[in-house]
Amino acid sequence: MEDEELLPPPLQIPCRIFAAGKEPVGVRVTPYHKPYAIRQILNALDVEEVETIKASPFGKLVEIGEKPSFSGRFGRFIISRKLKVSKKHEAWFIFAGKPVRFSLREFAYVTGLNCGKLSRHTKKRAKKNISEKPYWGELFGTLKDVLVTFVVRMLKRRTVTDRCMREKYALLALLAAVILPTTHTPRISQDHAEFIKDLDIFFAYPWGRISFDMLMSSIKERKEVSLSQNTIALKGFVLSLQLVMVEAIPALTEVVNDGSSSASEGDCVEDDDIVDEDKNGKRSISPGHARDTDASGKVEVHSVIVQDQDHFKTSSELSWSDEEDDPMVDNLLTLVEDQFPFNKSSFIGGVTKTKQTSHSATGEGIDYEFVASLVRDKVGEDLSRIERQINILSESFLKFQTNVNANIALLIRKLDGPSGHIPANSTGQPANVFNHATDVQQTGFSGPSQSHVGIQTESVQNGIISDAIRFANEATTFTMDGLIARQTSRCEQPSEGLPSQRNEKKDMLNSQDNLSFLNRTQASAVKDEPPQVRESVNEGPNILEHIAGKEMCDSEDPLVACQKSKRHKALPKSLVGQYECDKRLLNHARAALVDPNNTGGNVDYSAKFAVLLAKLNSPFTIILGQLTLEGNDLYEIVKRSAPLQAKVVDVLMGHIRSQFTLNSPANQSNHPEFLDTQFVSQLSKLFPKFSKMSRKGSFRFPSNILQRFVSNPEADRYYFPFTIDKKHWVGVCVDCSTWTIAVMDCNIALRSDNMMIKEVTPIAQMFPYILKQGGKQLLHKDARAFPIKRPRCIPQNTRPADSGLSAVLFMQAQAIAGVDVCNCITQEVLGHEVERLAVMFYEATVGML
């Protein structure tokens, strides 16, 4: 009976990502939703308000708030036991040797959220709401940015007493902090606020489908390398994955951890504004019990928890129009329905480590040996193929060298002969040196000593020289196991009769140019390898390049077919700005230059950002030249709660300057110059005196200003931040090649064009004279002022706290790929860009996370 249970599956089923028993043992999965967020929001409401939410499509969240909280260690245990499936919206996990499905149907079952399809009527209604008067003002007044913690405090303090409004605030908080979290500091979305105006429209929207898609995309993008990290950050309603596993394996709740556990809630850092009064009574799943249960293999597992729920099992509203077919997943479902006895040996495959090492956390949270083994497995075949080709080329060149040595040695012996006469063939034409060398080798000819060379006549010497040159330039054929390369002769040999007078003159000219070659050859005749041989061998790479570039692709032999490079296709920096490119391509170039180490997408900045947030709780100081940055200043960048200080902006400008210098190609013709706020401040102080000068050219700028231009004489673009009323930042680009000043403003509603031109005019008037005194050649000799423009393609962001970061990122993007790529830095992606900027700055100045 036991042998029958261990039989392999009769159908082909998906393989493991990691081999059984070889799964990486990380630390945790870090969710974006805050710890105990559901309980925090519900505890701030009255009983009647909670009952209203409980009766809504969000009602099951009230029940979920009473269940064990998310365990980051258990999530890490499950996520490393994925199966390889091709479906875009479905994942399968292994527990106790049995499969468990996680799809939209299971998600809808455990969360109770609306996961229906997004109808066209809903899309039109959303556009209509956006076109109407914004509802945001009725909810939050003039506030442009509202954190969830602010809403919770407002509900607790009963700042708003209207019951309907309080319920709307709670629903928006649940949506931002639990259902659709994208950052560790969730904020109320203005788009979501427009839906809440009509609660029927709000509840009819498929928030569950949006949340599931966010979570599934975050799970699918985690490959073997990223899954080997100790900490993995996931977006969306991550708790739903644990809820599905608990429904599928009821034994998981037999042992729970009481109180606040280090394994609960992904080990996130609590916010001072959100403190759970019942935190000590909260429970979480025990990761140790889960590992023991999985190892035993003797536990009941429901592979598809909606098997007996007809609505969730068959409803077409819970399907996807773009889902991909996977026959192996269909086979797996068939075996589940047939109640096939799965076991740990049923699922095979998966990567493994070459050597088992301890799973202690490294400085960066990565098992380097395991990652190295993955890389070796991926590129091992390519390296072997390259090694074989190198050996083939080496053998071919050795044969070529031996052949040339033999023929040159024969030519030298002929020069040492008593008469210096080269036998003619039957047509009266001087015999080819190569053919004659073969004849001499067959007859065993051996030339006399070198003392007879002096009796040669000039005409005979010239004939020998001509033959030598023909030999050196003649078509040389060599074979590389099927690869035949032919180098065309530069001196043509006459088809019949003696060489013409024109060819003789050409040969004489060539012989004069090569007399030094013959002298060196005669002086080293007794050596095995004359100098000309070394010169010919050194030209081998050029010959090989010619062959690989022009003749390998013409070969019909399948062994020598053109090889396509597998190197990551990165847009050359030198081409950006010279050709019109698609914005996505330009954004790819910007990302490649900003972060060249992440071209494969293997750096998990979300996880590193979570580690950085924990480090910011401890005070530290960063000294950068004359600037000192405290930990609170870096936290100001991350928090985005107030406009950045001038010294913080200066630090960021210095960071992108060093990044641009390090990551730009060495042959870059010019580099933009990034200036700081001190430069603008100095110019503002000088302008009153400058404006009073009748002859502006006689005004002398201080050396500390001119030094910035002398240090980079080839720069043709200058970038610097500019603040308005110390509350709003814009990025300024002075382009000398087009003689324009571009003001990159993320909130053009604050200042009209005329007002902005008035603010920047002092710089526009002084800059030509600064360039002239700095040694730059001006586009206009009369040093006319720069015209000022504000590009309308700059994405708008009305949050004053984001203006500084937006200005810095706009200048960086414009310097790399032009102003059009700035359109990719929208308010939606700013949070991710800030996370990457903060992590890269910390690692560049302090150390790796």
Side-chain angles (χ1 to χ4, degrees):
M1 183 69 178
E2 183 177 354
D3 294 339
E4 293 182 358
E5 294 181 354
L6 296 180
L7 290 176
L11 301 175
Q12 187 178 9
I13 58 177
C15 299
R16 297 173 177 262
I17 286 185
F18 296 101
K22 307 297 182 181
E23 300 90 350
V25 181
V27 178
R28 67 182 67 87
V29 165
T30 302
Y32 277 98
H33 56 71
K34 299 293 292 182
Y36 315 113
I38 299 177
R39 292 174 60 107
Q40 292 295 328
I41 297 170
L42 296 180
N43 288 343
L45 299 176
D46 297 333
V47 177
E48 295 81 5
E49 295 166 348
V50 174
E51 291 298 325
T52 301
I53 295 178
K54 191 173 183 179
S56 71
F58 281 30
K60 204 162 186 176
L61 295 179
V62 180
E63 179 185 344
I64 293 174
E66 301 299 326
K67 292 184 177 181
S69 62
F70 178 75
S71 170
R73 297 184 183 275
F74 174 73
R76 184 66 180 82
F77 176 82
I78 291 299
I79 203 73
S80 62
R81 283 158 174 78
K82 282 198 306 178
L83 293 178
K84 285 186 177 182
V85 298
S86 300
K87 288 185 173 293
K88 293 172 56 178
H89 308 286
E90 189 172 309
W92 286 80
F93 302 93
I94 298 298
F95 190 90
K98 300 174 180 61
V100 177
R101 188 179 74 175
F102 181 63
S103 67
L104 182 61
R105 301 181 186 278
E106 284 76 23
F107 181 88
Y109 176 70
V110 298
T111 63
L113 297 172
N114 182 3
C115 298
K117 294 183 179 180
L118 188 63
S119 63
R120 295 182 179 179
H121 176 72
T122 306
K123 296 179 182 178
K124 292 181 180 179
R125 179 66 62 86
K127 292 182 179 179
K128 181 179 179 182
N129 288 344
I130 294 174
S131 64
E132 296 175 354
K133 180 181 178 180
Y135 188 59
W136 178 269
E138 298 184 27
L139 292 171
F140 303 106
T142 59
L143 294 177
K144 300 299 182 182
D145 182 65
V146 178
L147 296 174
V148 171
T149 54
F150 172 79
V151 174
V152 173
R153 287 198 305 269
M154 186 171 60
L155 292 174
K156 284 184 177 181
R157 298 171 184 175
R158 300 189 65 81
T159 306
V160 178
T161 57
D162 182 76
R163 178 176 173 179
C164 182
M165 293 296 291
R166 287 173 56 83
E167 292 171 358
K168 290 182 177 180
Y169 288 138
L171 291 171
L172 287 176
L174 288 171
L175 188 63
V178 180
I179 300 174
L180 296 174
T182 57
T183 66
H184 291 285
T185 55
R187 294 172 168 81
I188 304 298
S189 169
Q190 295 190 18
D191 293 336
H192 298 166
E194 300 306 317
F195 284 93
I196 203 77
K197 183 177 182 180
D198 188 334
L199 286 177
D200 293 335
I201 296 177
F202 180 81
F203 288 131
Y205 196 80
W207 301 112
R209 178 178 287 263
I210 305 299
S211 176
F212 175 81
D213 188 50
M214 180 184 295
L215 174 59
M216 184 56 64
S217 299
S218 188
I219 292 175
K220 288 289 185 178
E221 67 185 12
R222 297 296 187 270
K223 305 301 180 183
E224 290 90 337
V225 174
S226 58
L227 286 175
S228 63
Q229 296 179 353
N230 279 342
T231 303
I232 303 172
L234 296 178
K235 297 181 181 180
F237 195 5
V238 184
L239 179 59
S240 62
L241 177 59
Q242 178 175 298
L243 295 175
V244 171
M245 299 305 296
V246 169
E247 288 287 337
I249 310 128
L252 290 175
T253 57
E254 293 177 356
V255 178
V256 295
N257 294 328
D258 295 329
S260 178
S261 172
S262 60
S264 300
E265 293 289 343
D267 292 353
C268 290
V269 179
E270 290 284 355
D271 193 295
D272 294 337
D273 296 324
I274 297 184
V275 179
D276 192 355
E277 298 86 348
D278 300 329
K279 183 177 179 180
N280 294 329
K282 191 64 178 175
R283 302 177 304 160
S284 63
I285 288 179
S286 171
H289 172 67
R291 285 192 293 268
D292 295 340
T293 305
D294 174 73
S296 67
K298 299 178 180 179
V299 63
E300 181 184 6
V301 176
H302 304 287
S303 298
V304 180
I305 62 175
V306 297
Q307 190 71 29
D308 299 330
Q309 306 291 330
D310 292 337
H311 170 70
F312 294 99
K313 181 181 179 181
T314 61
S315 175
S316 60
E317 285 294 311
L318 301 178
S319 60
W320 299 87
S321 59
D322 61 340
E323 184 60 280
E324 297 181 3
D325 295 331
D326 190 339
M328 288 190 289
V329 172
D330 296 337
N331 294 340
L332 185 60
L333 281 172
T334 301
L335 294 177
V336 169
E337 293 176 356
D338 295 342
Q339 298 183 353
F340 178 81
F342 292 100
N343 55 75
K344 293 185 177 181
S345 62
S346 300
F347 299 91
I348 59 175
V351 297
T352 182
K353 298 183 181 181
T354 54
K355 294 181 180 180
Q356 283 297 110
T357 57
S358 62
H359 297 286
S360 60
T362 62
E364 298 181 24
I366 300 176
D367 191 337
Y368 293 102
E369 184 178 352
F370 177 56
V371 175
S373 65
L374 293 177
V375 175
R376 284 194 297 267
D377 293 340
K378 294 288 185 181
V379 303
E381 183 179 351
D382 293 333
L383 292 177
S384 301
R385 177 177 54 80
I386 293 173
E387 183 178 3
R388 290 194 301 269
Q389 291 182 350
I390 292 175
N391 292 335
I392 291 172
L393 293 176
S394 178
E395 294 175 0
S396 301
F397 278 112
L398 287 176
K399 294 178 182 179
F400 175 73
Q401 180 180 0
T402 303
N403 194 9
V404 172
N405 285 342
N407 289 282
I408 293 294
L410 176 61
L411 178 61
I412 294 172
R413 289 198 295 271
K414 293 177 69 63
L415 291 174
D416 291 341
S419 61
H421 178 67
I422 299 178
N425 56 22
S426 59
T427 63
Q429 177 182 349
N432 182 279
V433 177
F434 182 82
N435 296 333
H436 186 64
T438 306
D439 298 338
V440 173
Q441 289 175 352
Q442 292 175 355
T443 58
F445 172 80
S446 178
S449 65
Q450 191 177 0
S451 61
H452 299 284
V453 174
I455 65 173
Q456 299 174 0
T457 64
E458 183 178 356
S459 61
V460 174
Q461 280 187 340
N462 292 336
I464 295 174
I465 292 171
S466 300
D467 286 339
I469 294 172
R470 290 193 186 94
F471 162 74
N473 296 325
E474 197 171 19
T476 303
T477 303
F478 58 97
T479 305
M480 297 184 295
D481 292 350
L483 176 62
I484 301 177
R486 183 174 300 272
Q487 183 180 11
T488 306
S489 175
R490 290 189 293 267
C491 296
E492 298 181 357
Q493 182 177 349
S495 59
E496 60 181 0
L498 293 175
S500 64
Q501 185 177 1
R502 181 178 179 182
N503 288 336
E504 288 179 353
K505 291 182 180 180
K506 185 186 296 184
D507 293 340
M508 286 298 294
L509 291 174
N510 291 335
S511 65
Q512 292 175 6
D513 295 336
N514 290 274
L515 285 178
S516 58
F517 155 73
L518 290 177
N519 291 333
R520 292 195 303 270
T521 304
Q522 293 175 1
S524 58
V526 295
K527 297 181 180 179
D528 294 333
E529 185 180 1
Q532 179 63 17
V533 174
R534 289 194 295 270
E535 293 176 6
S536 299
V537 173
N538 289 338
E539 292 177 0
N542 295 331
I543 297 173
L544 179 60
E545 182 179 356
H546 172 76
I547 295 169
K550 296 184 178 181
E551 293 187 21
M552 278 187 76
C553 292
D554 296 333
S555 174
E556 297 180 356
D557 190 342
L559 297 178
V560 293
C562 295
Q563 299 294 328
K564 292 185 179 180
S565 173
K566 296 182 180 179
R567 182 170 58 85
H568 180 73
K569 303 299 186 300
L571 184 65
K573 172 69 172 62
S574 58
L575 296 183
V576 178
Q578 299 181 12
Y579 299 92
E580 293 186 3
C581 303
D582 185 81
K583 291 179 182 178
R584 291 171 295 179
L585 187 63
L586 293 175
N587 193 41
H588 177 67
R590 178 187 70 86
L593 184 69
V594 171
D595 190 8
N597 297 325
N598 192 31
T599 53
N602 293 328
V603 180
D604 193 343
Y605 282 107
S606 299
K608 289 193 173 188
F609 185 72
V611 178
L612 177 60
L613 285 178
K615 289 183 178 293
L616 292 179
N617 292 329
S618 302
F620 60 87
T621 302
I622 303 175
I623 301 177
L624 302 170
Q626 299 180 352
L627 294 176
T628 301
L629 194 69
E630 302 293 339
N632 294 335
D633 298 326
L634 185 57
Y635 186 75
E636 180 182 343
I637 300 175
V638 173
K639 194 72 173 177
R640 296 161 54 198
S641 57
L644 297 183
Q645 303 178 33
K647 72 171 184 177
V648 178
V649 176
D650 286 343
V651 168
L652 294 178
M653 291 297 293
H655 172 66
I656 66 174
R657 181 194 302 114
S658 61
Q659 238 184 3
F660 198 98
T661 303
L662 291 174
N663 299 334
S664 295
N667 60 349
Q668 182 73 17
S669 59
N670 55 64
H671 295 278
E673 181 66 24
F674 296 92
L675 307 173
D676 53 19
T677 59
Q678 294 297 323
F679 172 77
V680 181
S681 177
Q682 289 175 338
L683 290 187
S684 301
K685 295 178 181 178
L686 293 173
F687 183 70
K689 185 176 180 180
F690 173 84
S691 60
K692 296 178 182 179
M693 299 286 293
S694 58
R695 297 178 59 187
K696 300 293 191 294
S698 60
F699 183 85
R700 295 300 172 188
F701 292 91
S703 58
N704 58 347
I705 291 182
L706 298 178
Q707 183 61 32
R708 301 169 185 261
F709 296 84
V710 176
S711 60
N712 190 2
E714 296 182 353
D716 60 357
R717 285 168 293 149
Y718 299 88
Y719 296 88
F720 50 86
F722 189 87
T723 181
I724 300 174
D725 299 334
K726 297 183 180 181
K727 295 181 180 180
H728 180 66
W729 290 95
V730 297
V732 179
C733 170
V734 180
D735 193 340
C736 300
S737 61
T738 60
W739 204 258
T740 57
I741 290 181
V743 179
M744 291 164 280
D745 189 356
C746 68
N747 189 3
I748 60 177
L750 288 179
R751 289 285 192 280
S752 64
D753 288 344
N754 292 332
M755 296 174 65
M756 183 60 69
I757 290 175
K758 186 178 179 180
E759 296 277 358
V760 187
T761 293
I763 297 175
Q765 293 182 1
M766 288 190 290
F767 222 90
Y769 296 96
I770 298 176
L771 295 174
K772 189 174 182 179
Q773 294 183 25
K776 290 283 291 183
Q777 186 175 1
L778 303 184
L779 185 63
H780 301 285
K781 295 183 179 180
D782 57 353
R784 67 182 63 173
F786 282 84
I788 303 169
K789 64 178 183 179
R790 264 201 302 186
R792 297 305 186 192
C793 62
I794 300 299
Q796 296 299 286
N797 186 344
T798 57
R799 293 188 65 248
D802 288 344
S803 63
L805 290 165
S806 297
V808 171
L809 293 173
F810 288 155
M811 288 185 284
Q812 183 187 53
Q814 207 270 4
I816 296 172
V819 70
D820 288 338
V821 79
C822 296
N823 196 26
C824 301
I825 306 176
T826 61
Q827 187 175 2
E828 288 73 19
V829 304
L830 187 61
H832 175 71
E833 293 290 340
V834 170
E835 289 184 6
R836 177 166 63 178
L837 181 64
V839 169
M840 293 183 67
F841 172 75
Y842 184 89
E843 292 185 341
T845 55
V846 180
M848 301 301 293
L849 292 172

